[in-house]
PDB file of all heavy atoms in Angstrom:
ATOM      1  N   SER A  18       3.163  23.545 -14.454  1.00 50.00           N
ATOM      2  CA  SER A  18       3.274  24.237 -15.710  1.00 50.00           C
ATOM      3  C   SER A  18       4.659  24.854 -15.765  1.00 50.00           C
ATOM      4  O   SER A  18       5.327  24.869 -14.670  1.00 50.00           O
ATOM      5  CB  SER A  18       2.192  25.148 -15.879  1.00 50.00           C
ATOM      6  OG  SER A  18       2.363  26.282 -15.124  1.00 50.00           O
ATOM      7  N   ASN A  32      14.426  49.807 -28.313  1.00 88.00           N
ATOM      8  CA  ASN A  32      15.334  50.828 -28.475  1.00 88.00           C
ATOM      9  C   ASN A  32      15.255  51.822 -27.342  1.00 88.00           C
ATOM     10  O   ASN A  32      14.260  51.868 -26.699  1.00 88.00           O
ATOM     11  CB  ASN A  32      15.034  51.644 -29.911  1.00 88.00           C
ATOM     12  CG  ASN A  32      13.594  51.843 -30.090  1.00 88.00           C
ATOM     13  OD1 ASN A  32      12.917  52.274 -29.139  1.00 88.00           O
ATOM     14  ND2 ASN A  32      13.138  51.595 -31.252  1.00 88.00           N
ATOM     15  N   THR A  38      22.668  66.474 -23.111  1.00 95.00           N
ATOM     16  CA  THR A  38      22.860  67.873 -23.411  1.00 95.00           C
ATOM     17  C   THR A  38      24.364  68.223 -22.975  1.00 95.00           C
ATOM     18  O   THR A  38      24.792  67.886 -21.902  1.00 95.00           O
ATOM     19  CB  THR A  38      21.812  68.780 -22.607  1.00 95.00           C
ATOM     20  OG1 THR A  38      20.526  68.336 -23.023  1.00 95.00           O
ATOM     21  CG2 THR A  38      22.084  70.106 -22.887  1.00 95.00           C
ATOM     22  N   THR A  40      27.214  71.558 -22.890  1.00 95.00           N
ATOM     23  CA  THR A  40      27.589  73.000 -23.140  1.00 95.00           C
ATOM     24  C   THR A  40      28.544  72.954 -24.265  1.00 95.00           C
ATOM     25  O   THR A  40      29.225  72.026 -24.533  1.00 95.00           O
ATOM     26  CB  THR A  40      28.073  73.597 -21.857  1.00 95.00           C
ATOM     27  OG1 THR A  40      28.446  74.948 -22.029  1.00 95.00           O
ATOM     28  CG2 THR A  40      29.427  72.851 -21.378  1.00 95.00           C
ATOM     29  N   ASP A  64      36.703  81.532 -35.758  1.00 92.00           N
ATOM     30  CA  ASP A  64      37.523  80.629 -35.037  1.00 92.00           C
ATOM     31  C   ASP A  64      36.993  79.200 -35.053  1.00 92.00           C
ATOM     32  O   ASP A  64      35.861  78.948 -35.418  1.00 92.00           O
ATOM     33  CB  ASP A  64      37.660  81.128 -33.541  1.00 92.00           C
ATOM     34  CG  ASP A  64      38.920  80.732 -32.761  1.00 92.00           C
ATOM     35  OD1 ASP A  64      39.609  79.789 -33.241  1.00 92.00           O
ATOM     36  OD2 ASP A  64      39.195  81.273 -31.731  1.00 92.00           O
TER      37      ASP A  64
ATOM     38  N   ASN B 141      20.955  63.266 -19.635  1.00 92.00           N
ATOM     39  CA  ASN B 141      21.269  64.250 -18.590  1.00 92.00           C
ATOM     40  C   ASN B 141      20.467  65.489 -18.759  1.00 92.00           C
ATOM     41  O   ASN B 141      20.831  66.469 -18.103  1.00 92.00           O
ATOM     42  CB  ASN B 141      22.759  64.457 -18.542  1.00 92.00           C
ATOM     43  CG  ASN B 141      23.255  65.326 -19.767  1.00 92.00           C
ATOM     44  OD1 ASN B 141      22.510  65.213 -20.835  1.00 92.00           O
ATOM     45  ND2 ASN B 141      24.176  66.067 -19.599  1.00 92.00           N
ATOM     46  N   SER B 142      19.420  65.512 -19.574  1.00 85.00           N
ATOM     47  CA  SER B 142      18.873  66.822 -19.913  1.00 85.00           C
ATOM     48  C   SER B 142      17.939  67.336 -18.856  1.00 85.00           C
ATOM     49  O   SER B 142      17.269  68.446 -19.053  1.00 85.00           O
ATOM     50  CB  SER B 142      18.047  66.692 -21.282  1.00 85.00           C
ATOM     51  OG  SER B 142      19.071  66.208 -22.252  1.00 85.00           O
ATOM     52  N   GLU B 294      31.806  75.646 -18.246  1.00 95.00           N
ATOM     53  CA  GLU B 294      30.726  76.392 -18.926  1.00 95.00           C
ATOM     54  C   GLU B 294      30.734  76.231 -20.451  1.00 95.00           C
ATOM     55  O   GLU B 294      29.903  76.712 -21.100  1.00 95.00           O
ATOM     56  CB  GLU B 294      30.631  77.712 -18.470  1.00 95.00           C
ATOM     57  CG  GLU B 294      30.038  77.977 -17.145  1.00 95.00           C
ATOM     58  CD  GLU B 294      29.634  79.472 -16.961  1.00 95.00           C
ATOM     59  OE1 GLU B 294      30.538  80.278 -16.842  1.00 95.00           O
ATOM     60  OE2 GLU B 294      28.446  79.727 -16.962  1.00 95.00           O
ATOM     61  N   TYR B 308      41.990  74.767 -28.197  1.00 88.00           N
ATOM     62  CA  TYR B 308      40.983  74.784 -27.072  1.00 88.00           C
ATOM     63  C   TYR B 308      40.721  73.408 -26.441  1.00 88.00           C
ATOM     64  O   TYR B 308      40.652  73.216 -25.210  1.00 88.00           O
ATOM     65  CB  TYR B 308      39.574  75.383 -27.546  1.00 88.00           C
ATOM     66  CG  TYR B 308      39.739  76.803 -28.029  1.00 88.00           C
ATOM     67  CD1 TYR B 308      39.619  77.065 -29.466  1.00 88.00           C
ATOM     68  CD2 TYR B 308      39.833  77.836 -27.295  1.00 88.00           C
ATOM     69  CE1 TYR B 308      39.607  78.331 -29.956  1.00 88.00           C
ATOM     70  CE2 TYR B 308      39.916  79.229 -27.811  1.00 88.00           C
ATOM     71  CZ  TYR B 308      39.793  79.331 -29.074  1.00 88.00           C
ATOM     72  OH  TYR B 308      39.929  80.662 -29.572  1.00 88.00           O
ATOM     73  N   LEU B 434       7.267  28.379 -10.713  1.00 70.00           N
ATOM     74  CA  LEU B 434       7.385  27.217 -11.697  1.00 70.00           C
ATOM     75  C   LEU B 434       6.290  27.441 -12.688  1.00 70.00           C
ATOM     76  O   LEU B 434       6.314  26.898 -13.798  1.00 70.00           O
ATOM     77  CB  LEU B 434       7.330  25.843 -10.944  1.00 70.00           C
ATOM     78  CG  LEU B 434       8.606  25.506 -10.319  1.00 70.00           C
ATOM     79  CD1 LEU B 434       8.482  24.187  -9.578  1.00 70.00           C
ATOM     80  CD2 LEU B 434       9.796  25.493 -11.254  1.00 70.00           C
TER      81      LEU B 434
END
Side-chain angles (χ1 to χ4, degrees):
Chain A
S18 71
N32 45 48
T38 301
T40 183
D64 205 342
Chain B
N141 69 335
S142 299
E294 282 199 288
Y308 300 107
L434 285 179

